[in-house]
């Protein structure tokens, strides 16, 4: 497992990490690489309405970054929808098969990923999605996702014992690189969710957070940098090759 520096030697999370020499990059998938969170929220609202219930933003916030199983458990507990977890997930999958393939790559993402690939920066994806869900939502972007060294699913990987907000998935994902980073603070994480941000902080990794505009900004505390869009990101702020090189 990747070495985590002690907290006393960590950079201040609220300042830019300009002195860093980041060597590896890990991206979240839903809401960060792909514009899927809005789709998942729409699906949850549809299922709730089918049972005369309401799926709120407050509830959506509780499940963002969680695995499908945990998310279903939370939704059913909060709303009282009369379904088992398996029934809820099955209904979700039925709807998602029809609309998830339409998911688009978020603005600024492809430019950054291709830039890092060009400069041979190791990159990976760490997600709470199942392999089946990953296949559905990436079907139109197979060439783009081939640019990553690997994709890790916390729902499918037995060595990832705990899901976000625990650091397990990021630490395991970092350890899977052919040439792993020397320590966790050499790995830059991109996340959109509160739980994903907490996982990166726990892993002692610098994190760029690009949250939903509705998220209370107090919930971004601890992120190294908070942006409105990937289009605002400057690689050289983290010791990565600047655009134009």
């Amino acid at each position: 497992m990747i070495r985590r520096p002690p907290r006393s030697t960590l950079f201040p999370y609220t300042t830019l990490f300009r002195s860093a020499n980041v060597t590896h990059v890990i991206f979240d998938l839903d809401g960060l690489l792909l514009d899927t969170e809005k789709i998942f929220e729409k699906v949850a609202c549809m299922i709730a309405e089918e049972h005369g219930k309401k799926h709120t933003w407050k509830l959506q916030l509780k499940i963002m970054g969680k695995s499908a199983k945990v998310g279903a458990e939370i939704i059913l507990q909060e709303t009282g929808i009369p379904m088992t977890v398996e029934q809820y997930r099955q209904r979700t999958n039925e709807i998602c098969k029809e609309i998830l393939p339409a998911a688009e790559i978020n603005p600024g993402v492809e430019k950054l990923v291709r830039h890092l690939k060009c400069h041979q920066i190791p990159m990976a994806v760490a997600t709470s999605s199942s392999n089946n869900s990953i296949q559905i939502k990436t079907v139109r972007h197979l060439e783009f996702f081939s640019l990553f060294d690997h994709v890790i699913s916390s729902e499918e990987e037995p060595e990832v014992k705990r899901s976000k907000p625990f650091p397990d998935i990021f630490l395991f994902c970092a350890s899977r690189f052919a040439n792993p980073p020397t320590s966790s603070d050499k790995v830059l994480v991109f996340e959109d969710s509160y739980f994903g941000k907490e996982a990166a902080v726990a892993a002692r990794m610098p994190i760029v957070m690009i949250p939903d505009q509705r998220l209370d900004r107090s919930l971004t505390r601890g992120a190294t940098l908070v942006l409105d869009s990937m289009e605002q990101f400057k690689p050289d702020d983290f010791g990565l090759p600047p655009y134009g090189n």
Side-chain angles (χ1 to χ4, degrees):
M1 195 63 78
I2 301 300
R3 180 182 72 83
R4 284 188 286 174
R7 288 187 182 276
S8 59
T9 64
L10 288 180
F11 56 90
Y13 281 113
T14 54
T15 62
L16 285 182
F17 200 46
R18 293 181 184 277
S19 62
N21 287 313
V22 166
T23 57
H24 297 67
V25 179
I26 296 176
F27 296 86
D28 174 49
L29 178 57
D30 292 300
L32 193 287
L33 291 177
L34 293 180
D35 188 17
T36 51
E37 287 293 357
K38 293 176 183 176
I39 295 176
F40 287 127
E41 185 176 2
K42 178 181 178 180
V43 171
C45 288
M46 291 172 62
I47 297 175
E49 289 174 2
E50 290 175 352
H51 296 273
K53 307 292 183 179
K54 188 174 183 180
H55 183 90
T56 64
W57 162 245
K58 183 179 180 180
L59 177 53
Q60 183 66 18
L61 181 60
K62 291 183 179 181
I63 65 172
M64 288 176 66
K66 296 288 190 179
S67 68
K69 180 178 183 295
V70 172
E73 291 172 349
I74 294 172
I75 289 173
L76 295 179
Q77 182 178 11
E78 294 273 338
T79 63
I81 293 174
M83 303 175 80
T84 65
V85 170
E86 188 55 41
Q87 288 171 335
Y88 186 90
R89 293 185 64 183
Q90 183 176 349
R91 180 60 181 140
T92 298
N93 290 337
E94 290 173 357
I95 301 174
C96 283
K97 284 180 182 179
E98 300 298 322
I99 60 178
L100 258 188
E104 297 289 349
I105 297 173
N106 275 319
V109 165
E110 189 159 7
K111 176 184 177 182
L112 175 61
V113 169
R114 293 191 182 280
H115 170 73
L116 296 179
K117 185 68 174 181
C118 180
H119 288 276
Q120 300 182 328
I121 303 298
M123 299 176 291
V125 178
T127 177
S128 300
S129 293
S130 66
N131 286 340
N132 181 61
S133 178
I134 293 170
Q135 291 173 0
I136 293 172
K137 70 188 73 168
T138 63
V139 67
R140 293 175 51 242
H141 310 290
L142 295 180
E143 188 274 333
F144 170 74
F145 280 94
S146 72
L147 301 174
F148 297 93
D149 292 58
H150 51 270
V151 177
I152 298 296
S153 163
S154 63
E155 190 161 297
E156 306 285 353
E157 180 52 62
E159 291 193 45
V160 179
K161 304 298 184 183
R162 303 170 298 177
S163 61
K164 303 170 185 177
F166 293 99
D168 303 32
I169 187 169
F170 289 131
L171 294 171
F172 179 75
C173 187
S175 73
R176 287 288 305 276
F177 286 109
N179 293 300
T182 55
S183 65
S184 63
D185 58 355
K186 298 298 184 184
V187 183
L188 179 60
V189 172
F190 286 90
E191 261 286 356
D192 68 303
S193 74
Y194 167 74
F195 291 117
K197 181 264 296 182
E198 290 291 286
V201 170
R204 316 285 203 273
M205 296 176 178
I207 173 174
V208 174
M209 191 176 184
I210 308 177
D212 188 295
Q213 293 299 304
R214 296 170 292 176
L215 185 73
D216 186 326
R217 283 309 186 259
S218 68
L219 296 179
T220 67
R221 190 175 297 120
T224 316
L225 179 64
V226 181
L227 302 175
D228 293 324
S229 168
M230 189 69 84
E231 294 175 309
Q232 298 173 321
F233 180 70
K234 298 178 181 179
D236 43 317
D237 279 344
F238 291 85
L240 293 165
Y243 285 133
N245 278 20

